[in-house]
Amino acid sequence: MSSDPPVPETLVLAIASHVVYGYVGNTMAAFVMQVLGCEVAALNTVQFSNHTGYGQFKGTRASADEIRDIYGGLKQSNLTDFDVMLSGYAPSAEAVEAIGSIARDLRFKSSMKPGSFFWVLDPVMGDQGNLYVNENVVPVYKKLLREADLILPNQFEVEVLSGVKVTSLSTLKEAITKLHQQHRIPHIIVTSVFFRESKELCVVGSTRRTDGTPRFFCVNVPRIDCFFSGTGDMFAALIVVRLREAVSSTKIAGKQELSSVSSWISPDDVDSLDLPLAKAAEKVLASMHTILEKTKKAGDEALASQEGGVLGIEGTSEKSMHLRQTKAAEVRLVRNLGDLRHPVVQYKAEALWDPTEPFNTDS
């Protein structure tokens, strides 16, 4: 297998949370992108001891002024020649606005060279029917949608952004179509869609045509019976790399590189299953599914053999059990670099079908 990076030289500005222990936010995203050959400048929106799934943590949140100030420091030394910006969790509406102003500045700098800047926006707001940010964050994200090239909402977040209650694939298609047409978003991937009693996770994506109509695809992968943290950040980082890889190897009419087209939008005659976004999603999910399976196996073995506190957490209380289980589910990245670099695609993109069975919105 080739040891060459899968992407051309790529400089990414990653704006997200940071934890000292484990892999979420920029701790996850920066590492993944660096392993795959990207230069990453990490601007951290929070500095926590560990992710919030443990139920306890310590740390600080960056203010909007601090975020702007750090970017200003980069700008004054001409260190803002970014090809891609990936933005994730922001701790306040003001912080989201600050991130939007950074994206606008980078977009303006690249305005004379189409395709030279690409913004991947993960609108981190909540999951499973619950917001975990203040409500005033929602309208700020809605205002920014038109400026992003690719958004990565989960099922709940796509409902919040579109105003469409997602109860079936028909309503999911309605929500994605609405976002394409009202906000002119070039690319959308809904990163986690669950069906009642289904043993599969469905990832649904689309790249719009010039008239705003969608080109839907979905990739189904088996669900793993474990709650992992940081998987959204892992998906976002991998899609940055794999989409840039797919776009860089795609030419239009045999001549122009797709990477020189604004927002990397494929011509209208490209079928949904042949979209670079669909090809990228296949590789992303191949890496993720394998690594998460190995994480689950290693975690189960650690929990099964932890008499005396093998995971370093003693006690039989409910809190101690939760801490052990959460620690056991920390994604194993470092020991599985081969699966990041050389994914074996088992689950292919398919045309989007519309089952009669509704989504399980309670899980």
Side-chain angles (χ1 to χ4, degrees):
M1 294 182 179
S2 173
S3 60
D4 294 334
V7 291
E9 287 196 21
T10 302
L11 182 56
V12 182
L13 175 61
I15 307 180
S17 60
H18 173 84
V19 295
V20 174
Y21 186 95
Y23 291 96
V24 302
N26 265 344
T27 320
M28 169 72 81
F31 179 82
V32 168
M33 290 186 287
Q34 287 167 335
V35 164
L36 294 174
C38 296
E39 297 287 351
V40 181
L43 199 168
N44 299 325
T45 58
V46 307
Q47 171 85 353
F48 288 164
S49 56
N50 49 270
H51 69 72
T52 59
Y54 282 89
Q56 56 187 21
F57 61 93
K58 292 186 181 294
T60 59
R61 295 172 171 85
S63 68
D65 287 341
E66 288 169 332
I67 292 170
R68 289 192 180 94
D69 190 51
I70 292 172
Y71 179 74
L74 295 173
K75 192 172 179 180
Q76 71 181 2
S77 297
N78 296 314
L79 302 175
T80 58
D81 51 336
F82 298 108
D83 304 296
V84 177
M85 185 171 109
L86 170 60
S87 62
Y89 176 75
S92 67
E94 294 77 17
V96 176
E97 289 174 340
I99 292 168
S101 69
I102 292 171
R104 280 189 291 274
D105 185 66
L106 293 172
R107 180 81 67 194
F108 178 77
K109 282 168 53 67
S110 67
S111 58
M112 300 301 292
K113 190 177 178 183
S116 62
F117 174 71
F118 193 92
W119 181 15
V120 179
L121 168 61
D122 184 359
V124 181
M125 294 182 290
D127 200 3
Q128 299 181 14
N130 298 303
L131 282 174
Y132 42 66
V133 296
N134 290 332
E135 290 185 1
N136 64 348
V137 169
V138 175
V140 181
Y141 270 125
K142 287 183 177 180
K143 288 179 182 178
L144 293 180
L145 291 178
R146 185 175 289 268
E147 302 182 47
D149 298 291
L150 165 63
I151 66 168
L152 303 172
N154 59 33
Q155 183 177 328
F156 171 68
E157 289 160 348
V158 81
E159 290 183 341
V160 172
L161 294 172
S162 68
V164 177
K165 179 65 176 176
V166 175
T167 57
S168 65
L169 273 178
S170 289
T171 50
L172 176 59
K173 291 164 72 175
E174 179 185 349
I176 292 173
T177 301
K178 185 176 179 180
L179 290 172
H180 274 320
Q181 295 182 342
Q182 289 193 353
H183 300 281
R184 303 294 295 173
I185 303 169
H187 309 276
I188 300 168
I189 295 183
V190 183
T191 57
S192 55
V193 177
F194 296 102
F195 297 89
R196 179 176 291 125
E197 306 302 331
S198 174
K199 295 182 179 179
E200 290 187 317
L201 164 73
C202 182
V203 171
V204 177
S206 170
T207 295
R208 70 170 174 84
R209 299 182 182 88
T210 52
D211 63 359
T213 55
R215 284 176 278 187
F216 293 115
F217 65 87
C218 66
V219 184
N220 296 293
V221 297
R223 292 175 67 176
I224 299 172
D225 186 20
C226 182
F227 181 80
F228 305 101
S229 293
T231 52
D233 305 301
M234 187 179 184
F235 186 98
L238 284 168
I239 203 71
V240 166
V241 177
R242 295 307 179 185
L243 179 58
R244 186 155 170 82
E245 175 189 30
V247 166
S248 298
S249 62
T250 301
K251 293 187 181 296
I252 301 172
K255 298 179 181 180
Q256 183 184 15
E257 292 186 359
L258 185 58
S259 58
S260 66
V261 174
S262 180
S263 296
W264 305 346
I265 301 177
S266 299
D268 287 353
D269 61 353
V270 175
D271 183 75
S272 62
L273 302 188
D274 295 322
L275 291 168
L277 192 66
K279 298 302 182 184
E282 291 175 347
K283 284 192 173 183
V284 169
L285 292 168
S287 287
M288 289 188 65
H289 187 71
T290 302
I291 291 172
L292 295 179
E293 277 190 323
K294 291 180 178 180
T295 296
K296 175 70 161 58
K297 182 175 184 292
D300 286 349
E301 290 172 352
L303 288 169
S305 63
Q306 67 160 339
E307 294 179 11
V310 170
L311 289 168
I313 303 170
E314 301 281 358
T316 58
S317 68
E318 183 177 341
K319 178 180 178 180
S320 295
M321 288 296 297
H322 173 73
L323 291 174
R324 281 196 290 270
Q325 290 167 352
T326 305
K327 186 176 181 181
E330 290 278 10
V331 178
R332 265 72 166 179
L333 277 181
V334 174
R335 304 292 290 182
N336 296 298
L337 298 185
D339 299 310
L340 285 176
R341 291 175 173 142
H342 307 294
V344 178
V345 174
Q346 301 179 61
Y347 310 105
K348 305 285 288 185
E350 304 172 3
L352 193 61
W353 55 283
D354 188 10
T356 58
E357 190 172 59
F359 290 147
N360 180 6
T361 55
D362 296 325
S363 65

